[in-house]
Amino acid sequence: MAVSIKAERELELMREAGKILAITHEELGKIIEPGISTWKINRVGEEIIKSYGCTPSFLNYRGYPASICISVNDEVVHGIPSKKRVLKEGDIVSLDAGVIYKGYHSDAARTHAVGEISKEARQLIDVTKQAFFEGIQYAKEGCHLHEISKAIDEYATSFGYGVVRDLVGHGIGSSLHEDPQIPNFTQRRRGPKLCAGMTLAIEPMINMGAWQVEWLNDDWTVVTRDGSLSAHYENTVLITKGEPEILSIRQTGECG
């Protein structure tokens, strides 16, 4: 496994991609409300990305037909936007988006409440987000990759949740998906040692019920097998000699 170390010039481009992606997520978060279609969310997101002179990472990637992956309730990831899919009060919706800026990618996901949601759904969203931050305590030079995985797993499962095993995080840079794969569940081996300059897309995908998932007939949308709710939280992270740098959160604040 060859994990690329980014030069400073590459990191500057990835920082800019991340900033634009953070803005995109912030703006999309403002329009999430009952009655909006997933198609409109996708259209607005694509317009924002393109307004910064960027290209959506996901559009036509391996045939995916949209710019924003929009997954509702029991949909884990890769939901396809549709004019017919309209959000309603009490739903939760995950938005996964990527930006290409001058040849370099950033990737991030957020799960939002649609209007008033149950306490159980709110806890799932909050735990999934916090699982990311538990994991990145080990996203620093000298730690091993699977220390991140273990920390995410132990935190999420302490709430009785299922940690998705069929989908994982990944390296990122001039390609959307690079080595290494980053599981969100505990591994027997420690994985590669982390070095400053590595860039990783770390993305807990957590189910309220069991971890098992299945694919719908569209060959994209992944759903929980037991029909339970699922949440997703992701950022592009730079490994440093000290604390990790989260590239897809603006320094002025974060919309989560």
Side-chain angles (χ1 to χ4, degrees):
M1 179 191 301
V3 182
S4 67
I5 304 297
K6 307 302 189 297
E8 187 57 37
R9 178 191 64 84
E10 295 176 292
L11 292 175
E12 285 305 313
L13 296 177
M14 292 188 71
R15 287 186 179 99
E16 188 63 22
K19 182 177 75 173
I20 293 164
L21 182 53
I23 292 169
T24 301
H25 271 297
E26 290 170 11
E27 294 304 310
L28 289 178
K30 295 174 183 177
I31 67 171
I32 300 298
E33 62 181 3
I36 193 170
S37 71
T38 57
W39 178 88
K40 182 174 180 180
I41 297 168
N42 176 74
R43 180 175 60 81
V44 171
E46 184 174 311
E47 289 174 353
I48 294 169
I49 292 168
K50 290 183 175 179
S51 74
Y52 285 91
C54 295
T55 302
S57 296
F58 299 167
L59 184 60
N60 300 318
Y61 181 75
R62 297 180 180 174
Y64 185 75
S67 296
I68 315 292
C69 295
I70 306 178
S71 306
V72 184
N73 293 335
D74 66 332
E75 296 172 353
V76 181
V77 288
H78 304 158
I80 298 174
S82 168
K83 291 181 179 180
K84 297 179 180 179
R85 192 69 186 272
V86 176
L87 300 182
K88 63 182 186 299
E89 186 87 13
D91 286 341
I92 66 172
V93 58
S94 299
L95 309 182
D96 189 1
V99 160
I100 308 171
Y101 176 77
K102 296 185 178 179
Y104 283 83
H105 293 260
S106 189
D107 190 2
R110 307 284 186 263
T111 300
H112 298 275
V114 182
E116 293 295 323
I117 62 173
S118 69
K119 290 188 296 183
E120 293 80 7
R122 170 49 62 189
Q123 178 178 274
L124 176 68
I125 293 172
D126 292 344
V127 168
T128 302
K129 178 178 177 179
Q130 184 58 35
F132 166 85
F133 287 100
E134 295 294 321
I136 67 165
Q137 293 181 59
Y138 301 93
K140 59 184 68 175
E141 184 167 84
C143 291
H144 285 81
L145 178 70
H146 292 156
E147 292 180 76
I148 298 172
S149 306
K150 182 181 179 187
I152 291 171
D153 189 13
E154 290 183 345
Y155 183 75
T157 56
S158 73
F159 291 85
Y161 296 148
V163 178
V164 174
R165 291 171 174 259
D166 297 74
L167 302 147
V168 297
H170 50 93
I172 187 170
S174 58
S175 297
L176 178 59
H177 293 104
E178 299 181 350
D179 284 335
Q181 292 192 344
I182 309 168
N184 296 304
F185 50 95
T186 303
Q187 304 291 294
R188 290 185 178 181
R189 296 184 178 182
R190 296 187 299 171
K193 184 175 285 189
L194 300 176
C195 299
M198 291 179 175
T199 46
L200 309 175
I202 300 170
E203 50 177 322
M205 291 159 274
I206 309 298
N207 299 342
M208 188 177 287
W211 64 264
Q212 288 88 349
V213 300
E214 56 190 29
W215 274 252
L216 298 185
N217 289 336
D218 62 19
D219 293 328
W220 279 106
T221 308
V222 181
V223 298
T224 59
R225 186 175 295 174
D226 61 9
S228 63
L229 296 178
S230 187
H232 185 195
Y233 187 85
E234 175 185 21
N235 281 301
T236 299
V237 177
L238 167 64
I239 304 301
T240 74
K241 293 183 182 299
E243 293 303 309
E245 181 181 346
I246 305 175
L247 302 183
S248 49
I249 290 177
R250 289 204 290 172
Q251 296 303 311
T252 54
E254 179 244 335
C255 175

